[in-house]
Amino acid sequence: MNLGLPFLNITNLPDWLSVSLVVFDLIIRLTVIFWLPYNRKPVVALGWLMAIFYIPYVGLLAFLIFGSNLVPKHRLSRQRTMNRIIKDAIEGDQAVLGHATLSEPARVAAKLNYKLGALPLIGGNSFELRHHNNESIQELAEHIDRARTYVHLEFYIAGLDATTEPLWEALIRAHQRGVAVRILIDHIGSRKYPRWRELQERLTQAGVPWHLMLPLKPWKGQWQRPDLRNHRKIVVIDGQLAFSGSQNAIDRTYNLKKNLQKGLEWKDLCFFCTGPVVHELNAVFVSDWYAETKELLLNEIDADIEAQDNAGLDAQPPLAQIVPSGPGYETENNLRLINHLIYNAEERIIICSPYFVPESTLLQALTNMALSGIEVTLIVCEKGDQFLPIMGQRSYYEELLRAGVNIQQYPGPTVLHSKFMIVDQEITFIGSSNMDPRSFALNFEVSTFIVSSDMVKELEQVAHEYIAVCKKLRYDEWIYRPLRHKVTENLCRLWSALL
């Protein structure tokens, strides 16, 4: 029986089997049409429908494996538990603690973040930026050697090499002298790097408590969408000092042969901080530890976060609010904040992101503001380690340039991995989150929303240092790039629709 279906060669099959396969195929198609678009962005649903219709069985299998960004129910339940514990501890259920004087956009942003992530905007903090990857790891090890009560460490990528050896040895020494050391490492993020197995064995033999985040071990019942990642970078020491930003716990070359051959080195931006915001970063770590271990560390979390009043001080300490995001939340916390800040800009917007594949609302927000006369600057990588996102993001440059966005390309072989945003003269946003669908929907991220003119000046200096060596893209030159480049870019862009 031949029903003329090019995707299904059933010429030599018995009639009853041929009919059954066709009916089964039609049932699949009708089912996905009515079910797949539910709670998905139209462009995402359309991408998956095209994949299933054009390559039915392969497309369906890919969707069943990668099509849902939902995490297991127990993780969602534990996240809600942590949110409730923190909100119950905050007197009056306040989004802004203390008596800070804020602009209306900053106050509304704080309320939005509090509604989504349960953590308030609070004053009395201090921040010190760090620009050099390997030196930051050495400094972190020195702080851990002075720890007295606990060290909480969480990284997307953890490697064992000459650069990170002092860090892991410091953690082992801390454990041996009675400090409570807890380590979380993303399973898929770290496993491809040299000496990964050796690092696991060393921590286990030393008796240091450590766990994988989002482990993929189906034989142990540990399963979720395979490309979900915990992309956070957090270290908290004694509840007094914290470290966060874009940097992973690995040498700046990432120790891969292909990176060394190309001369690739990562350039990150991270920070050490003190003040109440340390407890908020610790709350994010405790949430992740609870999700992975079922152990709720109530004794080592200061849920009763106290405001430190900035009133009367000549130099106002930064107000800060931690913004956790990811599939453990019901909405895209980081994207909502970013769009809010963009639409409320009055003078300028500066964004630095290694992977810039804008979701439709973000693309519209940036082009709208540029067309409105707001100065919009985008700092991106010229080269990177991941072909698909780097080529995919280039497909958006023409539309951005046409709207008046200033695009600066940081030259290779350095991979500019810093992730931050500046809005006007008082608002900054810095952390682990890229400006792409993966960071908005699939990665667990942690970012810090800061209201401080001094922090703006520091980050502005960083941005100017980057721009000083960048190449500025020009619309009248960019549109004449080779056709083969345009085709490759647009093909890579299609992948973003399947997230």
Side-chain angles (χ1 to χ4, degrees), residues 139-153:
E139 184 177 358
L140 196 53
E142 293 169 0
H143 284 297
I144 291 171
D145 273 331
R146 295 191 288 270
R148 288 191 265 178
T149 55
Y150 69 81
V151 178
H152 292 161
L153 183 143

Side-chain angles (χ1 to χ4, degrees), residues 447-467:
S447 301
T448 305
F449 171 56
I450 304 171
V451 181
S452 166
S453 59
D454 288 339
M455 278 300 298
V456 165
K457 291 175 183 175
E458 286 192 51
L459 273 176
E460 187 176 38
Q461 181 61 36
V462 172
H464 287 166
E465 291 174 3
Y466 291 168
I467 292 172

Side-chain angles (χ1 to χ4, degrees), residues 294-314:
K294 303 181 184 179
E295 181 185 8
L296 187 53
L297 306 172
L298 290 178
N299 293 332
E300 293 182 15
I301 178 173
D302 186 356
D304 188 13
I305 302 172
E306 296 183 1
Q308 296 183 19
D309 200 344
N310 293 349
L313 298 177
D314 293 332

Side-chain angles (χ1 to χ4, degrees), residues 364-475:
Q364 187 173 48
L366 287 171
T367 53
N368 279 351
M369 299 311 286
L371 290 167
S372 301
I374 302 299
E375 180 184 335
V376 181
T377 301
L378 178 62
I379 306 172
V380 294
C381 289
E382 178 188 28
K383 296 182 179 180
D385 64 317
Q386 298 186 38
F387 180 79
L388 284 174
I390 289 295
M391 294 304 293
Q393 72 183 34
R394 289 162 59 96
S395 71
Y396 293 91
Y397 291 172
E398 185 173 329
E399 182 177 353
L400 291 163
L401 290 167
R402 187 168 58 246
V405 175
N406 172 21
I407 301 180
Q408 301 281 347
Q409 276 191 328
Y410 198 90
T414 298
V415 178
L416 183 61
H417 198 241
S418 304
K419 309 149 196 282
F420 65 85
M421 178 177 178
I422 301 171
V423 178
D424 295 337
Q425 305 302 324
E426 68 165 2
I427 289 176
T428 64
F429 181 74
I430 178 172
S432 67
S433 180
N434 296 304
M435 299 283 183
D436 66 358
R438 165 162 288 283
S439 280
F440 296 145
L442 300 180
N443 287 349
F444 289 84
E445 305 281 4
V446 62
S447 301
T448 305
F449 171 56
I450 304 171
V451 181
S452 166
S453 59
D454 288 339
M455 278 300 298
V456 165
K457 291 175 183 175
E458 286 192 51
L459 273 176
E460 187 176 38
Q461 181 61 36
V462 172
H464 287 166
E465 291 174 3
Y466 291 168
I467 292 172
V469 298
C470 283
K471 174 187 176 182
K472 181 176 181 178
L473 297 186
R474 302 187 183 279
Y475 177 75

Side-chain angles (χ1 to χ4, degrees), residues 223-234:
W223 173 260
Q224 60 274 321
R225 175 172 170 165
D227 57 342
L228 295 184
R229 303 282 186 272
N230 192 316
H231 198 238
R232 293 168 177 164
K233 294 93 175 171
I234 300 172

